[in-house]
Amino acid sequence: GVLATLAYAGVGGAVLALGYVVLDAITPGNLRHLVYADHNGNAAVLAGTNVLALGGIVTTAIVTANDQLGRGIADAAVYGLLGIALLALAFKVLDLLTPGDLGQICTDPQGSPAVYVTAAFQLALGAVLAAAIS
């Protein structure tokens, strides 16, 4: 019980943190600074939806492990890393399909409705990936 919970929390936390780092790398500016120092709402929406999408993927990997701790840990890590890569790739593909620099648009402090479409895209892809695991 407790050790399994700690193991899952460790893997899940690592996946979420790495996902945040990757998102920071593919968007302009320092995401942590944009969200926590500048109070940039667009950057917060983008980061928050990325975390929710990855959380759904990791959660599904854990739930489908059927109480097999080793498999659950491995699945959470592998599917979490795959989710990070696919969400980043999807962001870049969406950037190619939209006018302007999507990263710049989605972190613009003045706000842009594009961040909501991008956020929905990230959440939907996370849900699709989670469903594919099950």
Side-chain angles (χ1 to χ4, degrees):
V2 172
L3 292 179
T5 300
L6 291 173
Y8 283 129
V11 170
V15 167
L16 296 177
L18 182 60
Y20 188 88
V21 168
V22 169
L23 182 64
D24 186 23
I26 64 173
T27 55
N30 181 309
L31 191 57
R32 182 183 56 184
H33 189 353
L34 289 170
V35 172
Y36 296 101
D38 294 345
H39 307 286
N40 182 315
N42 271 3
V45 167
L46 189 61
T49 55
N50 188 266
V51 168
L52 289 171
L54 288 172
I57 293 166
V58 171
T59 299
T60 302
I62 293 169
V63 169
T64 59
N66 297 322
D67 293 327
Q68 297 174 13
L69 179 60
R71 177 177 170 220
I73 295 296
D75 284 356
V78 169
Y79 287 119
L81 293 173
L82 181 61
I84 290 168
L86 291 174
L87 288 170
L89 177 64
F91 184 86
K92 289 302 196 179
V93 168
L94 189 59
D95 186 21
L96 292 173
L97 297 173
T98 57
D101 180 342
L102 186 61
Q104 187 66 44
I105 293 167
C106 287
T107 57
D108 182 351
Q110 300 304 313
S112 169
V115 75
Y116 299 111
V117 175
T118 305
F121 193 85
Q122 293 281 299
L123 283 176
L125 182 56
V128 168
L129 295 173
I133 295 168
S134 63

